[in-house]
């Protein structure tokens, strides 16, 4: 994979695809992690003499030029972080950019053909600069005009963030410290069956949490009550159980239940995993949380994707918090695969206490599964 070291940057106009798909409350950015994650690459380009940096990014999934998906709040926040104005051009045209050291083009999904990797649109992007840098790992699993088509038209390479993402995630599979522990949570087995299979081949221990555990229980004939249990995930769960080595796959041994998905619902702890009718499992229990934390603390490498329960509701926070705090304490190499796990770390103030916090949920999972990432392959 070509990197900044392979590019002639002195005096160049550099088009950079960044991942600024940040959460908004109206026009207020509620989490600027992805913006801050791009700062090292922007600093490196300045140090290497780039004449101008032209940023391409998307926000949300607009069907047309919808004002609520404008990158204006993002440009304003980036300007605050850089200490300078970041102009926002309405169109990817050279004469609209101005001469500022850092400029941004409006949401690339405003332009027809972006998600279809349209060659004409890619050419418009390429005409903006001399060199292309892809630093948007979160979009690397998509072949779009702003991260794939343009890379075929200009000298191109990976930014520091994308480079670190790929090297860290491939490294934890290729040469991990042992024991390698994978923690896989969330709600759907079908979304992460490829990840589970990848870790069954490589990991010493795989810990299952969140609503994902219920298809595994259902596959064994254990009652799941009103718990979120993906019907389509039961057969894949049965296959995972059959393929796991003895002792490799760990499931919860106790649960925290609620009557409904609400912070003020009636709760109970069950020492076991049979969920009565009218109740739903919303967190792993304290015994499981302590067991999982101990396994994390004694690991050599840990990959975590998916919470242990509904951590956003106070009564069902403890399981995810226990894992997050163990990730912060352990001496292991710790990699968090974005998404809700990253949100949990941020909620608990532990986002800086892990070795690597991925900015790309879907991309990180697909890389772990061994799938092609078009935005990375085109840089080879």
């Amino acid at each position: 994979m070509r990197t900044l070291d392979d590019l002639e940057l002195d005096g160049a106009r550099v088009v950079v695809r960044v991942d600024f798909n940040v959460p908004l409350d109206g026009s207020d950015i509620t989490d600027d992690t992805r913006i801050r994650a791009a700062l090292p690459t922007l600093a490196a380009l300045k140090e290497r003499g780039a004449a101008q940096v032209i940023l391409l990014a998307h926000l949300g999934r607009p069907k047309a030029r919808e004002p609520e998906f404008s990158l204006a709040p993002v440009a304003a926040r980036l300007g605050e972080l850089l200490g300078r104005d970041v102009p926002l051009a309405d169109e990817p045209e050279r004469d609209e950019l101005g001469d500022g050291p850092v400029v941004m083009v409006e949401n690339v999904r405003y332009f027809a053909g972006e998600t279809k990797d349209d060659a004409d649109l890619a050419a418009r992007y390429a005409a903006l600069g001399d060199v292309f840098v892809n630093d948007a790992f979160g979009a690397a699993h998509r072949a779009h005009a702003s991260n794939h088509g343009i890379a075929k038209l200009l000298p191109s390479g990976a930014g520091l963030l994308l480079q670190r993402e790929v090297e860290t995630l491939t490294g934890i599979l290729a040469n991990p410290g042992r024991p390698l522990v994978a923690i896989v949570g969330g709600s759907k087995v079908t979304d992460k069956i490829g990840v589970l299979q990848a870790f069954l081949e490589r990991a010493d221990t795989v810990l299952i949490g969140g609503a994902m555990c219920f298809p595994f229980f259902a596959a064994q004939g254990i009652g799941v009550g009103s718990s979120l249990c993906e019907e389509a995930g039961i057969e894949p769960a049965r296959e995972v159980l059959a393929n796991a080595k003895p002792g490799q796959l760990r499931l919860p041994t106790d649960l925290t239940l609620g009557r409904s998905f609400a912070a003020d619902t009636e709760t109970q702890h069950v020492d076991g995993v049979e969920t009565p009718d009218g109740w739903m499992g919303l967190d792993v229990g304290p015994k499981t949380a302590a067991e999982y934390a101990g396994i994390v603390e004694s690991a050599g490498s840990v990959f975590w994707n998916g919470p242990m329960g509904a951590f956003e509701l106070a009564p069902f926070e403890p399981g995810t918090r226990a894992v997050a705090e163990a990730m912060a304490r352990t001496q292991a190499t710790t990699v968090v695969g974005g998404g809700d796990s990253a949100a949990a770390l941020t909620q608990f103030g532990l986002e800086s206490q892990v070795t690597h916090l991925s900015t790309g949920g879907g991309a990180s999972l697909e890389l772990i599964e061994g799938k092609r990432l078009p935005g990375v392959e085109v840089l080879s």
Side-chain angles (χ1 to χ4, degrees):
M1 185 174 65
R2 294 186 300 274
T3 67
L4 297 185
D5 293 335
D6 300 304
L7 301 175
E8 180 54 58
L9 297 169
D10 191 24
R13 292 174 302 163
V14 185
V15 182
V16 185
R17 178 60 160 97
V18 288
D19 181 8
F20 286 170
N21 189 27
V22 295
L24 293 174
D25 181 6
S27 61
D28 295 328
I29 297 170
T30 57
D31 183 354
D32 67 356
T33 299
R34 289 183 171 180
I35 302 174
R36 289 184 285 106
L39 296 180
T41 293
L42 301 186
L45 293 173
K46 179 181 178 181
E47 290 167 5
R48 298 180 192 215
Q52 187 179 42
V53 173
I54 302 105
L55 301 175
L56 303 178
H58 79 280
L59 181 63
R61 296 181 177 180
K63 303 300 183 185
R65 193 178 282 264
E66 302 171 54
E68 61 266 34
F69 294 107
S70 170
L71 285 171
V74 175
R77 178 57 183 147
L78 179 61
E80 292 173 357
L81 293 169
L82 295 177
R84 65 169 68 94
D85 286 340
V86 176
L88 182 65
D90 281 339
E91 296 285 339
E93 303 296 340
R94 181 71 222 158
D95 59 4
E96 289 204 19
L97 294 180
D99 299 319
V102 180
V103 297
M104 188 181 299
V105 176
E106 242 319 352
N107 192 336
V108 293
R109 293 194 180 174
Y110 280 180
F111 310 125
E114 162 62 18
T115 60
K116 295 180 180 178
D117 201 10
D118 180 76
D120 290 338
L121 181 58
R124 291 177 70 191
Y125 295 147
L128 299 175
D130 309 304
V131 175
F132 173 64
V133 170
N134 189 358
D135 212 29
F137 179 69
H141 57 319
R142 303 286 183 251
H144 291 173
S146 66
N147 72 337
H148 185 260
I150 184 178
K152 298 177 180 180
L153 303 176
L154 292 176
S156 57
L160 299 180
L161 174 63
L162 189 144
Q163 180 183 356
R164 183 172 184 235
E165 292 270 18
V166 172
E167 290 176 350
T168 302
L169 290 165
T170 55
I172 201 170
L173 292 179
N175 188 30
R178 296 287 179 178
L180 169 59
V181 175
I183 312 166
V184 185
S187 59
K188 292 186 176 181
V189 174
T190 50
D191 284 351
K192 298 179 182 177
I193 187 66
V195 173
L196 289 169
Q197 291 170 339
F199 279 116
L200 287 180
E201 295 175 6
R202 297 173 176 86
D204 299 285
T205 306
V206 179
L207 309 177
I208 303 294
M212 184 172 292
C213 67
F214 295 110
F216 286 91
F217 294 148
Q220 299 174 78
I222 298 170
V224 298
S226 302
S227 304
L228 180 62
C229 181
E230 183 196 19
E231 186 69 27
I234 295 175
E235 187 55 36
R238 186 175 287 115
E239 293 176 9
V240 169
L241 287 166
N243 292 333
K245 302 179 186 73
Q248 183 185 26
L249 188 73
R250 306 288 184 90
L251 292 164
T253 56
D254 63 336
L255 298 169
T256 299
L257 311 180
R259 285 286 190 185
S260 64
F261 190 89
D264 59 354
T265 189
E266 181 185 356
T267 65
Q268 67 164 313
H269 168 246
V270 291
D271 187 10
V273 293
E274 186 87 30
T275 303
D277 290 342
W279 291 86
M280 56 191 345
L282 292 172
D283 193 13
V284 299
K287 188 166 65 175
T288 300
E291 178 192 358
Y292 284 10
I295 292 171
V296 168
E297 289 188 55
S298 60
S301 302
V302 186
F303 176 85
W304 178 27
N305 182 273
M308 298 295 97
F311 69 93
E312 63 273 28
L313 304 177
F316 312 110
E317 172 192 287
T320 303
R321 178 183 284 277
V323 168
E325 291 178 346
M327 292 281 284
R329 287 193 303 268
T330 185
Q331 298 302 304
T333 298
T334 50
V335 177
V336 179
D340 287 339
S341 303
L345 284 173
T346 300
Q347 178 174 310
F348 304 142
L350 299 172
E351 64 270 27
S352 64
Q353 303 301 306
V354 295
T355 307
H356 180 71
L357 178 56
S358 179
T359 58
S364 64
L365 295 183
E366 291 196 15
L367 189 61
I368 290 289
E369 290 177 40
K371 291 183 178 178
R372 293 174 56 253
L373 299 188
V376 172
E377 282 196 345
V378 75
L379 304 178
S380 298

